[in-house]
Amino acid sequence: MTHTPTTAKTVGRPAKRFSESSDVAKRRRIHTLLEKSAEELSFATQVTLRAQGLRTAAEMVKGVSECSENTQQLKKAITQSKKSPIKLTSDEALASFVQKKLTKNQYVAIHTETKTHNADIYPTYAELLLAKKRCYPENISVTEVLEEIVLQSLLDHTVRRIMITQKDVLQRVCASSGNSVNVRAIFKWGCDGAAGQQNYKQRFVDSDHNHDDSFMFVVSCVPIRLVD
């Protein structure tokens, strides 16, 4: 009579991998390791990592365990890698829009694409238009043959926008000199013109026939600097 040996079957639930275990199960499995010192555990970790071919990870564990400065550098690197994207303000987005000479469709496409990739850093195009509107001063008068603005409104608006842009600098100046500081704005002005422009066939409604669009004349005002 021939007896065929059999293999005993494992009884009970199959053992889970350590990464799949709960926190309670993990603590139970490492209970005996808690009796070891941090130095011993660090060395054992290095040996295990090298045995698995993870030499870089082993060197990192060694560097962190031997020097607290390395620990701070590693912590800083991890923290920086987890920083969320910083959303542009409407003014910053408008500046980027103008500098890159984008069209509306291009800007909307960029906004949609970045938002799809969980990097919603651009404001909507509607917010961009509001920021653009804030760039215009008050008291602007426009006709078919003339566009003009009250000089004081232009100066006030220009200085106000400069102060908004340089808000951090002005706050430091005020903090060092007191609650407030008086500054003077220096501007320059000039004229320029162009003749021989292409005439359009569209007639002027609010003007007589002596006007046309073949020439242009402009008076401009440009800020130079702010001084105290």
Side-chain angles (χ1 to χ4, degrees):
M1 181 176 179
T2 304
H3 177 71
T4 304
T6 58
T7 303
K9 295 183 178 180
T10 304
V11 181
R13 292 182 300 176
K16 289 185 178 181
R17 292 188 300 179
F18 185 81
S19 59
E20 298 174 347
S21 303
S22 64
D23 290 343
V24 176
K26 288 179 179 179
R27 292 191 184 95
R28 189 184 305 117
R29 293 177 64 173
I30 67 170
H31 178 71
T32 56
L33 298 177
L34 298 179
E35 300 175 358
K36 306 297 181 181
S37 65
E39 185 178 0
E40 291 175 312
L41 293 174
S42 174
F43 185 77
T45 302
Q46 296 173 46
V47 173
T48 303
L49 290 173
R50 288 193 179 94
Q52 296 177 358
L54 304 175
R55 294 184 175 275
T56 302
E59 292 298 326
M60 292 180 64
V61 173
K62 180 180 179 181
V64 170
S65 60
E66 291 180 352
C67 181
S68 60
E69 183 178 349
N70 294 340
T71 305
Q72 295 297 327
Q73 292 177 353
L74 180 61
K75 181 180 179 181
K76 183 178 180 181
I78 295 174
T79 303
Q80 290 178 345
S81 64
K82 293 183 178 180
K83 286 185 177 180
S84 58
I86 301 175
K87 190 166 185 175
L88 278 73
T89 64
S90 55
D91 289 332
E92 291 173 338
L94 178 61
S96 178
F97 180 87
V98 174
Q99 291 172 356
K100 295 179 175 61
K101 299 180 180 180
L102 299 177
T103 63
K104 175 184 176 180
N105 291 337
Q106 289 173 335
Y107 181 84
V108 172
I110 294 174
H111 172 259
T112 304
E113 184 177 6
T114 54
K115 189 175 182 180
T116 304
H117 288 77
N118 296 326
D120 188 13
I121 62 174
Y122 288 97
T124 63
Y125 188 75
E127 294 175 289
L128 203 71
L129 293 180
L130 292 176
K132 184 178 180 180
K133 187 176 181 180
R134 291 195 298 268
C135 294
Y136 292 104
E138 299 177 350
N139 301 318
I140 298 178
S141 176
V142 180
T143 66
E144 290 183 319
V145 296
L146 177 67
E147 180 178 357
E148 60 182 357
I149 181 174
V150 177
L151 179 59
Q152 190 62 53
S153 296
L154 177 61
L155 298 178
D156 292 343
H157 178 79
T158 303
V159 173
R160 188 181 305 112
R161 295 294 297 183
I162 293 176
M163 295 182 70
I164 292 175
T165 305
Q166 301 297 326
K167 180 180 178 180
D168 295 338
V169 177
L170 292 173
Q171 285 179 341
R172 290 196 297 268
V173 172
C174 291
S176 61
S177 60
N179 295 329
S180 62
V181 59
N182 295 322
V183 296
R184 292 185 298 113
I186 300 178
F187 289 79
K188 70 175 182 178
W189 68 277
C191 306
D192 196 6
Q197 304 295 317
Q198 180 69 37
N199 283 327
Y200 290 90
K201 295 182 179 180
Q202 183 176 355
R203 294 183 178 181
F204 294 112
V205 177
D206 298 332
S207 305
D208 55 40
H209 297 289
N210 295 327
H211 294 94
D212 60 42
D213 49 6
S214 62
F215 63 92
M216 179 184 299
F217 184 78
V218 60
V219 180
S220 59
C221 183
V222 180
I224 302 298
R225 60 179 177 175
L226 293 177
V227 295
D228 53 11

